[in-house]
């Protein structure tokens, strides 16, 4: 399919999704999340004769924008900076010039929230996946063994974005034993403090009504790896077969990228849904606060450590290690916490020369202290 055919297809698909929405009311964009605060932000652009709209899809330097008069296909040349975090994104509220051909997005309003991950490139650039999101739905398939570390990684990015995370365990019909299903839910809840965990089955409808009610207000982004059942779940929430569905491989539960772009779609029960392609890589991007939120119990223990800069490795008076020894803190959680903090620190250091220098200096000091402690404890039965 050539680019012109793809563009026409995407625009007509978006139009079909929104065709039943009344757009003749004074607050025509309200179903998409428009409110008085957005209207106030838009005032300077309205004075320039620009039209507000929400970006529902971006591809090849163009985007589909839902305005009060319907879908507008617009060029993004005016909002394509060198910083990949400042490019136009699905979920943005845009100021569109609708006179002439082609039409242009001239600017977008400041984002309230932004879901960002690190790319897999050597430059470690950030990639924005969705903007102005209220709920981050993390879809996890029960067809394969749970990867709690990956769930924690998604949660860190979700908390950092400013959205409220929600973990949805899909394909619950594949776990018919209630006791087994309950244990799986408990495992995820332990890895996701402060986060609601729901089990759903798009096959028999179990739990989908609860999920729809939870996300009925605001904007939700649907996240997960390929094969997690995101497209099927999206169709359930949308009440129609909008997203193409492909079967996951039986051997490992993985699927191909059914969704190839990020699309913003209206849900019949209220609110909007941004569906995203399956993510093979979920790299952190300056997500220290999000990591701390995911591991809030470790952060609470850390506040009771003797030293404020305790690394929770071998320091005396470490409350985190004391909780580990007492069986109050699972070793898996502590290792995952350390791993995500290290990864996040590396990402930040690549973009901050000053911090990189501080990390090197801190590493040298801690290495010297570690060698001194080892020499003092050698043969003394110190912690191994």
């Amino acid at each position: 399919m050539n680019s012109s055919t793809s563009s026409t297809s995407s625009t007509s698909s978006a139009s079909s999704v929104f065709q039943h929405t009344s757009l003749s009311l004074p607050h025509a964009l309200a179903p998409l999340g428009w409110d008085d605060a957005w209207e106030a932000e838009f005032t300077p652009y309205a004075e320039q004769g620009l039209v507000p709209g929400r970006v529902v899809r971006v591809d090849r330097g163009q985007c589909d924008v839902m305005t009060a008069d319907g879908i507008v296909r617009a060029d993004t040349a005016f909002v394509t900076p060198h910083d990949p975090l400042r490019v136009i994104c699905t979920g943005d509220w845009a100021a569109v010039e609708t006179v002439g051909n082609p039409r242009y997005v001239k600017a977008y309003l400041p984002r309230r929230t932004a879901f960002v991950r690190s790319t897999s490139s050597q430059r470690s650039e950030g990639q924005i996946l969705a903007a102005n999101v209220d709920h981050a739905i993390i879809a996890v398939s029960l067809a394969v063994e749970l990867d709690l570390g990956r769930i924690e990684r998604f949660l860190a990015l979700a908390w950092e974005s400013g959205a409220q995370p929600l973990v949805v365990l899909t394909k619950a019909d594949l776990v018919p034993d209630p006791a087994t299903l309950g244990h799986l839910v408990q495992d995820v809840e332990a890895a996701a403090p402060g986060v609601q965990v729901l089990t759903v089955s798009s096959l028999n409808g179990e739990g989908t009504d609860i999920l729809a009610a939870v996300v009925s207000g605001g904007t939700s982004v649907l996240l997960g790896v390929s094969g997690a059942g995101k497209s099927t779940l999206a169709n359930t929430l949308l009440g129609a077969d909008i997203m193409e569905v492909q079967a996951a491989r039986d051997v490992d539960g993985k699927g191909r990228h059914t969704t190839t772009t990020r699309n913003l779609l209206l849900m019949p029960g209220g609110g909007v849904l941004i569906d995203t392609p399956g993510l093979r890589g979920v790299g952190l991007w300056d997500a220290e606060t999000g990591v701390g939120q995911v591991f809030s119990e470790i952060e609470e223990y850390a506040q009771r450590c003797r030293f404020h800069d305790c690394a929770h490795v071998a320091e005396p008076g470490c409350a985190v290690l004391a909780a580990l020894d007492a069986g109050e803190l699972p070793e898996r959680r502590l290792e995952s916490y350390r791993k995500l903090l290290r990864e996040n620190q590396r990402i930040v250091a690549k973009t901050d020369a000053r911090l990189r220098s501080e990390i090197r200096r801190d590493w040298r000091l801690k290495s010297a202290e570690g060698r001194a402690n080892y020499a003092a404890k050698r043969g003394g039965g110190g912690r191994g």
Side-chain angles (χ1 to χ4, degrees):
M1 181 182 292
N2 59 39
S3 61
S4 62
T5 304
S6 175
S7 297
T8 302
S9 173
S10 67
T11 303
S12 102
S13 173
S15 297
S16 68
V17 172
F18 291 104
Q19 65 183 350
H20 300 300
T21 303
S22 172
L23 294 172
S24 59
L25 301 174
H27 300 288
L29 296 176
L32 294 174
W34 187 255
D35 56 29
D36 291 342
W38 286 124
E39 188 166 353
E41 289 271 10
F42 194 80
T43 300
Y45 301 106
E47 294 171 350
Q48 299 173 33
L50 301 178
V51 173
R54 193 157 195 197
V55 178
V56 299
R57 175 189 167 105
V58 179
D59 64 306
R60 297 184 179 88
Q62 293 185 311
C63 64
D64 295 333
V65 184
M66 189 62 193
T67 70
D69 294 322
I71 292 286
V72 171
R73 186 72 171 171
D75 196 292
T76 64
F78 285 95
V79 285
T80 308
H82 295 297
D83 183 353
L85 297 181
R86 297 176 61 194
V87 299
I88 198 77
C89 176
T90 301
D92 275 325
W93 284 102
V96 187
E97 184 181 62
T98 58
V99 178
N101 190 20
R103 298 166 178 177
Y104 291 97
V105 171
K106 287 300 187 75
Y108 61 84
L109 300 184
R111 294 161 177 157
R112 294 178 181 174
T113 63
F115 195 97
V116 180
R117 69 161 178 173
S118 174
T119 66
S120 57
S121 69
Q122 292 299 316
R123 291 179 293 179
S124 298
E125 294 178 334
Q127 177 189 22
I128 182 167
L129 300 181
N132 302 312
V133 172
D134 301 294
H135 307 283
I137 306 172
I138 301 166
V140 180
S141 173
L142 289 174
V144 294
E145 185 176 355
L146 288 176
D147 186 338
L148 297 178
R150 178 181 287 154
I151 294 174
E152 289 162 344
R153 182 180 291 270
F154 269 111
L155 287 170
L157 291 176
W159 281 121
E160 191 69 33
S161 75
Q164 172 64 48
L166 170 67
V167 178
V168 176
L169 303 179
T170 66
K171 308 181 184 181
D173 52 281
L174 298 180
V175 188
D177 178 43
T180 301
L181 184 60
H183 288 311
L184 292 172
V185 170
Q186 289 176 0
D187 288 344
V188 176
E189 288 177 336
V195 176
Q196 187 173 10
V197 179
L198 298 176
T199 58
V200 303
S201 170
S202 297
L203 183 65
N204 59 31
E206 175 191 343
T208 55
D209 55 340
I210 299 175
L211 174 60
V214 171
V215 300
S216 60
T219 298
S220 301
V221 61
L222 186 53
L223 305 155
V225 299
S226 300
K230 293 191 301 87
S231 294
T232 302
L233 185 59
N235 286 338
T236 300
L237 291 172
L238 295 168
D241 291 336
I242 303 297
M243 311 307 298
E244 181 184 357
V245 176
Q246 295 177 343
R249 298 194 300 244
D250 291 335
V251 64
D252 56 11
K254 294 182 179 178
R256 291 172 289 174
H257 285 311
T258 301
T259 305
T260 56
T261 59
R262 291 175 284 281
N263 303 278
L264 186 147
L265 307 160
L266 275 172
M267 292 186 285
V272 295
L273 179 70
I274 298 177
D275 192 23
T276 64
L279 302 175
R280 291 194 176 96
V282 195
L284 300 186
W285 179 259
D286 197 5
E288 183 177 357
T289 301
V291 173
Q293 188 78 30
V294 177
F295 299 92
S296 56
E297 81 279 26
I298 298 179
E299 298 271 299
E300 290 175 6
Y301 284 127
Q303 292 178 6
R304 301 199 293 269
C305 290
R306 182 182 301 176
F307 304 108
H308 74 277
D309 60 346
C310 183
H312 321 306
V313 177
E315 295 84 353
C318 176
V320 173
L321 295 181
L324 184 67
D325 289 339
E328 299 172 4
L329 175 64
E331 187 171 358
R332 188 206 67 79
R333 285 280 286 174
L334 181 56
E335 286 303 315
S336 183
Y337 174 69
R338 289 168 172 165
K339 178 181 179 180
L340 292 183
L341 279 184
R342 286 195 302 267
E343 177 183 328
N344 189 71
Q345 196 175 51
R346 285 196 300 270
I347 291 295
V348 173
K350 286 183 179 180
T351 58
D352 191 327
R354 180 186 56 79
L355 179 59
R356 187 161 59 245
S357 176
E358 290 178 356
I359 290 173
R360 288 197 185 106
R361 185 176 67 251
D362 187 58
W363 179 82
R364 286 195 297 268
L365 289 173
K366 280 186 169 23
S367 295
E369 291 174 359
R371 288 193 296 271
N373 288 337
Y374 177 76
K377 293 180 180 180
R378 187 184 306 170
R383 184 184 182 90

